Amino acid sequence: MSTTEKTDRETEVQQLRARIAALEAELVEQAERTERIVAAAQARTYWLDRWHLDLNALMQRPGAAEFRALVRGLRWIVRGLKKVKRTLLRGS
Amino acid sequence: MSRVSVVIPVKDGERYLAELLDAVAREGADEVLVIDSGSTDRSLEIVRSARGVELLQIDPAEFGHGRTRNLGAERTSGELICFLTQDATPTPGWLDAVRAAFALDAQVGAVFGPHLPRADTSPMIARELERHFAGFAGVDGGPALQGAGDEPFLSNVNAAYRRDVWEQIRFRDVAYSEDQAFGRDLLAAGWLKAYHPDAAVLHAHDYGALEFMRRYFDEYRGLHATTGHVEGFHPLDALRTVRAETAADLRWLKEQGAPAGERARWAARAGVHHGGRRVFSALGSRADRLPAGVRERLSLEGRGDGSTPDPLGPPATPPPAGRPIAPQRAEDDYADAARVLREGAVPLLDPIPGMAERERLRLALVVPPWRRGSGGHNTLFQLLSRLERRGHVCSVWVSDLYGETAGTWPAVLRDEINEWFAPFDGPVYKDFADWHGADVVMATGWQTVHPALLLDGCRARAYIVNDHEPEFYATSTESRLAEDTYRHGLHCVAASPWLRDVVAERYGASADAFQLGVDHALYAPRADIARRGDTVVYYARHSTDRRAVPIGLMALAELHRRRPDTRIVLFGTDRPPRTSFPYEHCDVLSGPQLAALYNEATVGLCLSLTNFSLMPKEMLACGLPCVELAGVSAESIFGDDGPLALAPLDPVELARTIERLLDDRGEWERRSQTGIEFVASHTWDVATDEVEAGLRHALRERERELVTSPAAQT
């Protein structure tokens, strides 16, 4: 192998190693972001986990849709009453 | 094609008989024989009006389940003999399936098919039938063969036999379960039996609740007569079973689309059914111990006679009939260890040049479940917390071998780490379903090593060794598996030089050591607490065998005998030990409470028969001289005559060493001062430096493979 060929090969190896290092660093960054997201989600769901509440499973249960409809209805009534109150207060 | 004879024993079977005979004719049986044993309903009329059906009438007293079927087989001529009961109606395709099952293997001597529930069958029976027969089907739900070692179940409600095999074995003359006995004899003789899901009959025993119970009495009485089986009965187990079975019935009903009202109606009936079954099956298998009158009343057939005669005779010593137990868990406790021993560890990722020196690493800590105050976990989380602060991407994986955290969800576990041990910002995972690889996976307790060996996507595996855990157990599976963990090539980072030498010398493991750190902000001499001159404090955690508490208590008894006025304080356990001397008990103390106690006391006593623990260091950091065991692990850290006062495992010597520290002010001062100075450099930051170096060492060992591997050399 000539000196030029040897130098070219070494350069290529160095470039490949630098590329691997860059990809590995990227992987660490990505892993950090992912772990941070999971940890943040765990911090948010602490009380749900503490009380063994799986809201997705809960909302699949019979009556959940009706319950949501009821809450929506109540919210609509409360908002309506507030609106009426505001209108009346503005009128006075 | 083989000729098929169908034999149907009948007594007052008018309800389904016409339907049954029509179905048999439809299926194309070559010969049909009905054996009537004294019907008083329309059965005889139905049989006589059916075309191609031969009727044989016998005296009711001559009837026997085995005897009568043998008679039926003798009176027919088909190469295949099918037995049906009077309430079992073949479904379309039944006979073709029977023939197909015999064709599966030349050694098939008997064939049976499922009993499907009729529309009015109770859910308890329908579910039981469905579950029972599903267990005999092949993996794909199709036909399956059973041979020696398999369950010998056969049911003459719906079964077919090769004539030559029946001639060889014949039915035993027993009150019940002649089919089960035949199945056992068939398999023992080397024949196979086959199950075909399409060889089905509609069948139901639609008895009332009490009739069901009496039938179970008869069935288990017959089972006892043929196999010697005695049904176990434990009230609490029975209650649990009844509750579980009733719940399963209700779930099944729900799956079938039964409305809530119907489910509620069946709930009580199911409870009575399953409860009655437990009681009457237990009574039935003990019928020979009951008075004849009671037997007669409990039997559905009104049989009050004693044990059933068996003309063929039971085997000289019948094999014990074990109670079948369904699988109760997905995996055995040590399934991962078995997998590693069988298949080896999952290969690591290829090493990458320079990976050991990379600034930030992905580190995964695999830990067993913890409790508040766990010293080993405190060490692990103190280290992990600092590794995380140094920029490494850290995660915690709880490997829960015994299901201790079954009721604790991940966010709660994460909160416990932060509340009880050290700040940790990363995520906590339970089990390894979400495993996503790491630069270094760190096993910790011995139970975590085999699971860690099965994790893929890792560049290296390390083992944070807190203690020599095989010594925690008597000779046992656990002690052997714990020993095995040091032999799988994980790079050990051991919590003392002594421990490093143990794993390296005994097991040939590559190993580094780290020194347990002390929280000097908490454990330090305090001017606001007056040091007493008469107080010995002892870590008396008697639930931990390696703490040698009986020896420690004997030493304190000796001390009390010599110096009755010395104040003795025990802590570290919420159950005060029973002693021959008076003492003050302090339960399990928090860090600040311990620091205050160490600042008030005169001498500390803390023993370990294995690796040196953190507590003596914390005592020393508070200026409290401490007595430990000589000849174990303490010398590897403190030397022979360092700040610790060492004594052999002898109550008198231990008492003498404590007494010397109480009496000799000069020695007390020297050990107190050198102790403070000695542990000043033992911090968690230093420990983290050492552990991080160990983890990088593990990666470097992998990199070395690049240099030494044949591929690298070419």
Side-chain angles (χ1 to χ4, degrees):
Chain A
M1 191 184 286
S2 69
T3 314
T4 317
E5 280 174 336
K6 200 174 171 184
T7 311
D8 287 349
R9 191 180 161 83
E10 280 171 4
T11 309
E12 191 184 351
V13 167
Q14 277 172 2
Q15 282 172 344
L16 285 172
R17 284 189 173 170
R19 178 66 183 139
I20 289 171
L23 287 171
E24 284 286 309
E26 208 174 290
L27 177 62
V28 171
E29 294 291 334
Q30 202 174 1
E32 185 187 28
R33 278 198 299 277
T34 310
E35 301 290 34
R36 204 188 301 139
I37 288 166
V38 176
Q42 289 184 338
R44 273 199 303 276
T45 61
Y46 171 74
W47 286 107
L48 293 175
D49 275 23
R50 178 83 181 259
W51 290 337
H52 293 184
L53 276 175
D54 179 345
L55 288 180
N56 288 329
L58 199 65
M59 295 314 288
Q60 298 286 326
R61 295 178 70 162
E66 290 78 0
F67 176 73
R68 285 185 64 203
L70 178 70
V71 171
R72 270 201 301 271
L74 287 173
R75 201 165 53 191
W76 182 79
I77 293 169
V78 170
R79 281 178 184 168
L81 288 173
K82 281 183 177 171
K83 196 172 170 184
V84 170
K85 186 180 162 192
R86 274 201 304 274
T87 310
L88 289 175
L89 286 174
R90 210 179 296 136
S92 64
Chain B
M1 190 185 290
S2 305
R3 288 189 74 249
V4 174
S5 301
V6 177
V7 176
I8 309 161
V10 169
K11 184 178 182 184
D12 294 335
E14 67 176 1
R15 184 168 175 190
Y16 297 112
L17 196 53
E19 170 191 307
L20 160 57
L21 294 174
D22 283 349
V24 170
R26 179 199 66 219
E27 291 296 299
D30 299 292
E31 182 181 26
V32 181
L33 173 66
V34 170
I35 305 176
D36 187 273
S37 52
S39 291
T40 55
D41 64 357
R42 290 179 50 253
S43 294
L44 292 174
E45 187 185 325
I46 292 168
V47 175
R48 285 189 183 116
S49 64
R51 279 202 306 174
V53 177
E54 189 186 342
L55 174 65
L56 173 64
Q57 289 180 273
I58 61 171
D59 190 288
E62 289 176 24
F63 178 83
H65 284 283
R67 190 190 315 162
T68 302
R69 285 182 172 84
N70 283 331
L71 176 66
E74 287 161 5
R75 290 294 187 96
T76 54
S77 59
E79 288 96 342
L80 301 180
I81 315 160
C82 299
F83 291 99
L84 295 169
T85 51
Q86 64 189 16
D87 52 358
T89 309
T91 58
W94 167 76
L95 194 51
D96 288 343
V98 169
R99 285 196 165 105
F102 275 110
L104 287 173
D105 192 293
Q107 282 298 103
V108 173
V111 165
F112 67 107
H115 309 169
L116 306 181
R118 294 181 188 275
D120 58 350
T121 303
S122 72
M124 295 84 75
I125 297 301
R127 181 180 69 83
E128 186 181 333
L129 289 175
E130 189 178 292
R131 184 182 60 176
H132 177 72
F133 285 101
F136 293 108
V139 179
D140 57 352
L145 295 173
Q146 291 120 37
D150 290 326
E151 197 180 330
F153 174 85
L154 270 178
S155 168
N156 275 339
V157 167
N158 172 32
Y161 302 85
R162 251 171 60 176
R163 179 166 293 279
D164 55 341
V165 174
W166 165 76
E167 282 170 350
Q168 180 190 331
I169 295 172
R170 297 179 65 93
F171 294 107
R172 294 184 184 211
D173 190 10
V174 288
Y176 268 102
S177 306
E178 83 293 344
D179 36 17
Q180 307 279 29
F182 193 100
R184 195 180 296 276
D185 295 342
L186 176 93
L187 299 186
W191 294 100
L192 301 175
K193 63 189 174 85
Y195 168 79
H196 200 302
D198 296 334
V201 294
L202 293 173
H203 174 254
H205 287 291
D206 48 348
Y207 300 110
L210 188 59
E211 285 173 303
F212 258 124
M213 295 177 200
R214 296 173 72 195
R215 180 164 178 85
Y216 283 127
F217 178 85
D218 283 340
E219 281 190 2
Y220 276 80
R221 187 179 173 189
L223 194 63
H224 177 69
T226 52
T227 67
H229 172 76
V230 177
E231 182 74 356
F233 185 80
H234 305 287
L236 276 179
D237 285 351
L239 272 176
R240 275 190 214 108
T241 309
V242 169
R243 193 181 62 183
E245 291 288 328
T246 304
D249 285 339
L250 297 179
R251 272 198 305 278
W252 185 86
L253 272 171
K254 194 176 177 186
E255 284 162 18
Q256 307 302 313
E262 192 184 339
R263 296 204 301 272
R265 190 164 58 80
W266 277 109
R269 173 74 193 276
V272 170
H273 175 89
H274 293 298
R277 178 178 187 165
R278 298 273 94 68
V279 173
F280 277 68
S281 56
L283 284 172
S285 63
R286 294 167 179 81
D288 51 354
R289 300 182 211 168
L290 299 174
V294 176
R295 278 201 299 265
E296 190 177 344
R297 280 188 172 76
L298 293 181
S299 165
L300 185 63
E301 294 194 345
R303 294 168 61 94
D305 53 343
S307 58
T308 310
D310 183 356
L312 296 179
T317 308
R323 191 157 51 98
I325 306 289
Q328 291 156 46
R329 60 203 312 197
E331 283 208 313
D332 294 311
D333 281 343
Y334 303 125
D336 284 345
R339 205 167 297 143
V340 169
L341 295 172
R342 187 173 64 241
E343 298 162 16
V346 169
L348 292 165
L349 294 176
D350 289 336
I352 295 174
M355 66 183 184
E357 311 310 325
R358 201 159 297 141
E359 192 182 337
R360 304 177 71 201
L361 299 171
R362 290 178 300 139
L363 303 175
L365 186 78
V366 184
V367 288
W370 53 79
R371 289 188 187 151
R372 187 196 290 265
S374 160
H377 284 92
N378 182 52
T379 298
L380 296 170
F381 291 127
Q382 291 293 344
L383 296 168
L384 194 72
S385 175
R386 285 164 177 81
L387 288 167
E388 186 179 55
R389 270 185 260 157
R390 292 176 184 198
H392 299 298
V393 179
C394 301
S395 54
V396 171
W397 302 78
V398 181
S399 173
D400 189 0
L401 191 62
Y402 308 114
E404 295 165 63
T405 59
T408 314
W409 291 13
V412 178
L413 293 171
R414 184 174 178 276
D415 187 75
E416 287 175 357
I417 294 173
N418 280 277
E419 191 182 339
W420 297 346
F421 301 109
F424 177 60
D425 291 335
V428 175
Y429 299 91
K430 274 182 78 173
D431 67 47
F432 301 100
D434 297 319
W435 176 253
H436 42 262
D439 289 320
V440 185
V441 57
M442 295 178 276
T444 54
W446 73 268
Q447 308 93 326
T448 66
V449 171
H450 297 105
L453 286 164
L454 295 172
L455 296 175
D456 58 5
C458 305
R459 300 264 180 229
R461 296 191 183 100
Y463 189 176
I464 311 294
V465 186
N466 264 311
D467 210 332
H468 185 229
E469 293 179 288
E471 291 185 51
F472 292 7
Y473 303 95
T475 301
S476 59
T477 301
E478 286 72 19
S479 70
R480 290 291 189 268
L481 287 178
E483 284 177 358
D484 180 66
T485 60
Y486 305 118
R487 299 190 179 108
H488 286 283
L490 285 85
H491 181 72
C492 295
V493 187
S496 79
W498 172 83
L499 191 53
R500 175 197 58 204
D501 295 344
V502 167
V503 296
E505 288 164 15
R506 283 196 211 170
Y507 306 99
S510 66
D512 293 315
F514 71 98
Q515 299 279 12
L516 295 171
V518 174
D519 182 353
H520 290 286
L522 185 61
Y523 297 100
R526 279 172 52 178
D528 60 323
I529 298 177
R531 176 84 61 192
R532 293 177 60 138
D534 63 344
T535 300
V536 177
V537 294
Y538 175 42
Y539 182 56
R541 192 174 177 81
H542 51 82
S543 59
T544 308
D545 294 341
R546 64 181 177 280
R547 291 293 180 181
V549 170
I551 297 272
L553 293 179
M554 282 191 281
L556 293 176
E558 173 66 18
L559 182 73
H560 176 71
R561 193 184 63 74
R562 296 178 185 200
R563 304 168 62 100
D565 295 335
T566 299
R567 175 180 172 237
I568 296 173
V569 179
L570 270 50
F571 68 97
T573 174
D574 48 12
R575 283 185 299 128
R578 297 178 66 202
T579 62
S580 58
F581 56 88
Y583 66 93
E584 292 174 28
H585 184 70
C586 281
D587 289 327
V588 178
L589 299 177
S590 66
Q593 288 172 322
L594 284 173
L597 183 66
Y598 298 162
N599 268 280
E600 184 194 41
T602 323
V603 178
L605 177 64
C606 182
L607 309 179
S608 172
L609 290 169
T610 56
N611 194 34
F612 186 79
S613 67
L614 185 55
M615 199 161 289
K617 281 190 181 178
E618 291 170 342
M619 291 181 179
L620 295 178
C622 294
L624 176 66
C626 177
V627 176
E628 240 284 14
L629 288 177
V632 187
S633 56
E635 288 92 335
S636 77
I637 300 168
F638 297 96
D640 293 341
D641 191 26
L644 277 185
L646 300 177
L649 186 63
D650 174 340
V652 176
E653 285 299 323
L654 282 164
R656 191 176 297 151
T657 308
I658 296 169
E659 195 174 26
R660 200 164 53 239
L661 280 169
L662 288 169
D663 289 339
D664 186 338
R665 188 66 193 168
E667 183 175 351
W668 190 94
E669 289 284 357
R670 178 176 70 81
R671 291 201 191 273
S672 173
Q673 193 53 42
T674 53
I676 293 168
E677 290 163 5
F678 189 91
V679 299
S681 61
H682 292 222
T683 64
W684 283 116
D685 285 331
V686 172
T688 308
D689 288 343
E690 292 166 334
V691 169
E692 187 176 359
L695 300 179
R696 291 187 185 282
H697 188 173
L699 287 164
R700 213 169 292 121
E701 288 292 320
R702 295 289 332 283
E703 282 187 58
R704 202 164 292 157
E705 292 172 21
L706 284 171
V707 183
T708 55
S709 72
Q713 286 167 356
T714 54

